[in-house]
């Protein structure tokens, strides 16, 4: 990709990728620090919370619709003076200063600093029936939705640490939790496995996959399970189905340009949002595979903006424009 040394008309001191809780919070803090940030909304304005219903763990709101919460954050960002651009980034050059980012429609953005807040998305099984009941009994987040299943029966699909931790968490509310796994050994670590097997509310269903999610007007009523060994099928009655088969961070365009772990999460300096390239910061689900919450993402967005402010205070714009590729850190 071609780069330029001279800032373009679309130049900003801080360019934010993403309009979820991390990106919006970074925008508000950067605007209040008089950094005139530009925020690229991306393919899902408002981020992941747009696709959920009730959010009951956002501080200050006992219960708020995900879409309403994100609309309020979006309005606050506009009022704070952030320049919000309806575009998404398809390529970046982090090897020269200013940084260059290419928009989907061909726009060329340049920036002294970048905050990456492009989030992550849950992997789904890919069943039509799963899609039909998403938000009406099918979820990918027990911390978010487990509360709704007090005294009911739930199942979790998956065999990794996330699936086991989701199952354990659900036992705080549900009277019974099935853990459905396609093999007969778990990927989860020994500590989690020991906790799982010690919990009387959890029952393992080995060598099984969900063939169909069953339901009615009120939501999920059960699943049709298929045995992975002999393809025999049976039905299981339940109210909540949690899919925990992994997440994909939206980081493809940073491959080879920022240090990442083997799953594509951006690596940051512990206790900071600084990435392997000075001047590039990462906040929210794009760098956090453990907590994945709106409030933690917003907190990281705040930290990123404060770190940008400190970074810019220590580098004048001329120095940034002439810094070489030596500061870069490919994965
Ligand atoms: P996201 O919200 O994922 O936002 C990412 C942003 O990046 C999007 O705006 C997208 O358009 C943008 N983007 C992506 N690619 C590009 C690109 N190439 N260029 C520019 N922009 C790009 N958390 C809770 O705390 N409570 C809940 O009740 C809750 N419920 C949930 C329910 C569901 C169904 C889901 C899926 C998640 C839920 N979560 C909940 C988790 C929460 O939504 C996430 O932790 C949070 O949204 C992460 O925020 P983020 O800003 O890091 O990323
Ligand atoms: P993961 O370790 O990749 O496990 C995904 C699980 O989902 C696997 O058991 C896999 O089955 C199953 N799976 C994948 N696709 C499936 C499909 N289409 N249908 C049915 N099952 C499917 O993912 P994760 O559990 O989200 O963990 C991600 C990373 O975060 C891991 O490194 C994990 O250790 C880490 N993590 C750590 C902690 C902790 O340390 N406390 C907590 C959470 C996550 P197979 O086993 O058959 O492949």
């Amino acid at each position: 990709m071609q780069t330029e040394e001279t800032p373009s008309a679309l130049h900003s001191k801080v360019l934010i990728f993403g309009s979820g809780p991390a990106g919006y919070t970074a925008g508000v803090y950067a605007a209040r620090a008089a950094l005139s940030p530009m925020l690229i909304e991306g393919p899902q304005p408002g981020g992941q919370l747009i696709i959920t219903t009730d959010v009951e763990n956002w501080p200050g709101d006992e219960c708020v619709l995900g879409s309403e919460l994100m609309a309020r954050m979006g309005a606050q960002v506009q009022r704070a003076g952030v320049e919000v651009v309806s575009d998404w980034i398809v390529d970046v050059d982090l090897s020269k200063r200013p940084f260059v980012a290419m928009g989907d429609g061909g726009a060329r953005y340049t920036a002294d600093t970048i905050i990456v807040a492009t989030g992550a998305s849950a992997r789904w099984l890919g069943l039509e029936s799963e899609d039909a009941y998403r938000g009406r009994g099918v979820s990918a987040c027990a911390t978010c939705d487990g509360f709704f299943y007090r005294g009911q029966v739930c199942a979790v699909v998956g065999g990794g640490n996330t699936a086991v931790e989701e199952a354990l968490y659900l036992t705080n509310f549900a009277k019974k939790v099935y853990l459905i796994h396609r093999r007969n050994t778990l990927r989860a670590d020994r500590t989690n496995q020991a906790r799982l097997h010690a919990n009387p509310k959890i029952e393992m269903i080995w060598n099984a996959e969900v063939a169909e999610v069953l339901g009615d007007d009120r939501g999920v009523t059960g699943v049709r399970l298929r045995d992975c060994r002999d393809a025999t099928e049976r039905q299981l009655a339940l109210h909540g189905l949690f899919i925990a088969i992994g997440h994909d961070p939206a980081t493809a365009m940073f491959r080879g340009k920022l240090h990442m772990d083997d799953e594509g999460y951006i690596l940051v300096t512990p206790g900071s949002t600084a990435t392997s390239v000075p001047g590039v910061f990462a906040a929210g689900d794009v760098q956090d595979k453990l907590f994945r919450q709106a409030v933690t993402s917003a907190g990281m967005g705040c930290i990123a903006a404060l770190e940008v402010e400190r970074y810019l205070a220590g580098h004048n714009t001329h120095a940034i424009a002439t810094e070489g590729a030596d500061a870069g850190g490919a994965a």
Side-chain angles (χ1 to χ4, degrees):
M1 182 181 153
Q2 215 188 354
T3 60
E4 59 181 24
E5 298 285 335
T6 315
S8 70
L10 293 175
H11 182 79
S12 49
K13 284 185 198 152
V14 51
L15 183 61
I16 300 165
F17 301 161
S19 54
Y24 276 161
T25 307
V28 169
Y29 273 79
R32 288 171 61 83
L35 295 176
S36 309
M38 185 183 285
L39 183 150
I40 312 294
E41 284 185 311
Q44 189 176 44
Q48 292 171 58
L49 281 186
I50 287 297
I51 61 166
T52 192
T53 51
D54 292 343
V55 177
E56 298 194 335
N57 52 14
W58 179 258
D61 276 310
E62 274 174 39
C63 182
V64 58
L65 277 178
S67 54
E68 189 189 321
L69 177 62
M70 295 319 297
R72 279 186 354 222
M73 281 193 212
Q76 184 184 17
V77 159
Q78 299 271 6
R79 279 197 303 273
V82 178
E83 186 177 352
V84 178
V85 181
S86 177
D87 196 356
W88 66 88
I89 302 302
V90 292
D91 197 9
V92 288
D93 187 340
L94 307 180
S95 68
K96 290 205 173 138
R97 311 301 169 90
F99 300 124
V100 180
M102 297 303 295
D104 181 57
R108 183 184 181 84
Y109 306 92
T110 59
D112 298 334
T113 62
I114 289 177
I115 296 177
V116 182
T118 48
S121 47
R123 282 184 212 141
W124 298 95
L125 298 172
L127 302 168
E128 253 177 54
S129 53
E130 169 192 56
D131 209 27
Y133 289 104
R134 219 188 276 179
R136 296 196 300 134
V138 175
S139 168
C141 179
T143 319
C144 315
D145 299 329
F147 185 77
F148 302 117
Y149 298 94
R150 195 171 286 279
Q152 299 189 329
V153 178
C154 292
V156 178
V157 179
N161 275 317
T162 303
V164 172
E165 289 184 2
E166 298 271 275
L168 288 165
Y169 182 78
L170 285 169
T171 61
N172 293 320
F173 314 101
K175 66 177 179 194
K176 169 109 193 159
V177 179
Y178 295 102
L179 181 55
I180 302 166
H181 183 37
R182 62 185 178 183
R183 296 185 297 123
N184 64 357
T185 53
L186 293 168
R187 216 174 261 278
D189 63 36
R190 287 186 183 280
T191 310
N192 267 335
Q193 290 198 37
R195 287 188 188 131
L196 173 87
H197 296 309
N199 193 308
K201 281 190 177 178
I202 301 179
E203 182 179 326
M204 284 301 310
I205 300 184
W206 299 108
N207 301 303
E209 61 185 6
V210 174
E212 186 184 3
V213 181
L214 308 170
D216 59 23
D217 292 349
R218 285 167 300 162
V220 168
T221 56
V223 287
R224 183 161 55 83
L225 290 178
R226 184 181 298 128
D227 192 297
C228 297
R229 295 160 301 185
D230 57 16
T232 52
E233 295 194 342
R234 66 173 169 126
Q235 288 192 10
L236 186 68
L238 47 83
H239 306 100
L241 181 67
F242 290 81
I243 312 299
I245 60 172
H247 282 75
D248 294 313
T251 56
M253 71 178 126
F254 301 107
R255 216 165 279 147
K257 299 171 184 173
L258 292 176
H259 289 177
M260 296 180 195
D261 71 9
D262 53 11
E263 292 171 83
Y265 287 89
I266 296 175
L267 294 173
V268 292
T269 306
S272 156
T273 61
T275 70
S276 54
V277 174
V280 180
F281 300 82
D285 283 14
V286 77
Q287 56 111 310
D288 165 32
K289 64 182 175 198
L290 281 185
F291 302 110
R292 292 194 279 246
Q293 295 296 296
V295 70
T296 50
S297 297
M300 285 182 251
C302 158
I303 295 170
L306 295 176
E307 290 189 315
V308 159
E309 195 182 352
R310 283 185 201 165
Y311 176 86
L312 289 172
H315 295 71
N316 67 45
T317 323
H318 173 73
I320 288 173
T322 52
E323 267 175 47
D326 55 320

